[in-house]
Amino acid sequence: MAGPPVAVVNACTRDGRGGSPTAVVIDGATLTDGDRQAIPRRTGTSHTAFIDTSTADTPTVRFFTSAGELTNCGHGTIAAQAVLLHRSGATEHHGNLRTAGRIFATTAIRRRDGVEVWFDQGAIALADDGDATGGGIIAALGLQRADLAGNVRVASPGTPRLLVPVRDHLTLLSIQPDFERLATECRRLGYLGCFTYALSPTARTAAARMFAPALGVDEDIANANSVGCLAAHLLDTSGNADIEVHQGDTLKRPSSISASATRTGSGIVARIGGVVDTSPRPAPPG
């Protein structure tokens, strides 16, 4: 029997182009985890979002790469909400999504260039021990300490990753990681991956690259949760709460993600947004 239909959308596009191709499956609760891991391989996407709409007013979403399940996925959350709005035919929706035991407030609005989606990421834990633990990762990236623009830092909205500031855009573009070594180091230290970035002189925009070979994704076109982590870090260290991050240029898939961080009684939280193309297209049969 054929499985549920699979749609592929481009999440976090920039100026109507590019974005991260993301597979979305609605009502996929009958699939096995092996089936879920197979869909990214079949569709050629880095991630797939599986939405169970039987859970009352709050759909439950699970995220998979070809290597296994993720606790959460920012651009997958954005893609899932856009597909739900597209399916409903509405022009705007304010609601929630549930994933990994957490509920995220979401907003989706149909725009001329796609569906604009925002979600509340929740509290982000920041730690200053990145320099003590990240030396092997810096080497695996092919970087020297002189290439860095400051201290590396660990940030976690649920799963820790390393934030690595580099001195300029050219340094960022020149990074050629040893992916096998980087995967080994990330697994050893318990990091999801490594988010390298170069701030613009105004610190309101940045270019970034996300490397997560331990998850089966050597380089991610758009990593929304890491952008939220960067916004939290910037608020904590410089007072700048808002950032727009461009990714995907080295992969010829330009993407854009925005985030705004706020201090609350429970810590720093972030709100993350991106635009998704409005025409989900069927995935290849398989």
Side-chain angles (χ1 to χ4, degrees), residues 23 85 277:
L85 182 71
D277 65 352

Side-chain angles (χ1 to χ4, degrees), residues 138-215:
I138 300 305
L141 288 170
L143 295 172
Q144 305 292 325
R145 287 289 170 177
D147 295 319
L148 304 185
N151 294 333
V152 300
R153 206 172 194 199
V154 180
S156 177
T159 306
R161 77 277 329 271
L162 202 64
L163 305 180
V164 180
V166 296
R167 61 188 180 186
D168 54 37
H169 195 203
L170 288 177
T171 302
L172 181 72
L173 294 178
S174 70
I175 295 174
Q176 295 183 323
D178 179 335
F179 288 116
E180 183 175 352
R181 182 179 180 186
L182 184 59
T184 298
E185 287 294 316
C186 286
R187 291 190 187 103
R188 180 176 69 84
L189 297 168
Y191 295 154
L192 175 148
C194 183
F195 190 72
T196 61
Y197 65 94
L199 291 175
S200 71
T202 64
R204 295 289 180 176
T205 60
R209 299 174 69 186
M210 176 65 178
F211 304 107
L215 301 179

Side-chain angles (χ1 to χ4, degrees), residues 11-273:
C12 306
T13 58
R14 191 196 312 167
D15 299 323
R17 301 183 298 114
S20 180
T22 306
V24 179
V25 179
I26 297 179
D27 296 326
T30 60
L31 298 174
T32 68
D33 286 358
D35 294 333
R36 295 185 176 97
Q37 286 179 241
I39 288 177
R41 289 192 290 267
R42 173 165 66 84
T43 58
T45 59
S46 59
H47 302 71
T48 302
F50 296 87
I51 308 172
D52 182 357
T53 58
S54 68
T55 52
D57 294 330
T58 305
T60 297
V61 188
R62 296 175 69 188
F63 305 103
F64 281 78
T65 70
S66 60
E69 186 169 11
L70 303 178
T71 302
N72 52 54
C73 175
H75 75 270
T77 299
I78 290 172
Q81 190 62 43
V83 169
L84 287 173
L85 182 71
H86 179 85
R87 189 175 81 154
S88 73
T91 58
E92 186 171 338
H93 177 74
H94 301 269
N96 298 290
L97 288 178
R98 184 194 309 273
T99 180
R102 297 173 60 189
I103 294 178
F104 298 85
T106 62
T107 297
I109 303 172
R110 197 180 298 274
R111 304 292 194 197
R112 180 174 298 178
D113 59 346
V115 177
E116 180 181 349
V117 178
W118 288 85
F119 72 92
D120 293 334
Q121 186 179 24
I124 300 161
L126 298 167
D128 293 319
D129 58 354
D131 278 320
T133 62
I137 286 181
I138 300 305
L141 288 170
L143 295 172
Q144 305 292 325
R145 287 289 170 177
D147 295 319
L148 304 185
N151 294 333
V152 300
R153 206 172 194 199
V154 180
S156 177
T159 306
R161 77 277 329 271
L162 202 64
L163 305 180
V164 180
V166 296
R167 61 188 180 186
D168 54 37
H169 195 203
L170 288 177
T171 302
L172 181 72
L173 294 178
S174 70
I175 295 174
Q176 295 183 323
D178 179 335
F179 288 116
E180 183 175 352
R181 182 179 180 186
L182 184 59
T184 298
E185 287 294 316
C186 286
R187 291 190 187 103
R188 180 176 69 84
L189 297 168
Y191 295 154
L192 175 148
C194 183
F195 190 72
T196 61
Y197 65 94
L199 291 175
S200 71
T202 64
R204 295 289 180 176
T205 60
R209 299 174 69 186
M210 176 65 178
F211 304 107
L215 301 179
V217 183
D218 285 348
E219 182 168 356
D220 210 355
I221 293 169
N223 195 278
N225 278 328
S226 291
V227 175
C229 289
L230 178 58
H233 163 70
L234 293 174
L235 176 63
D236 190 48
T237 57
S238 68
N240 176 35
D242 303 299
I243 191 73
E244 179 183 344
V245 174
H246 291 174
Q247 286 184 252
D249 292 321
T250 56
L251 302 173
K252 303 186 187 306
R253 296 288 306 185
S255 70
S256 178
I257 303 163
S258 296
S260 179
T262 307
R263 289 188 185 275
T264 70
S266 59
I268 296 177
V269 300
R271 190 166 183 257
I272 300 170

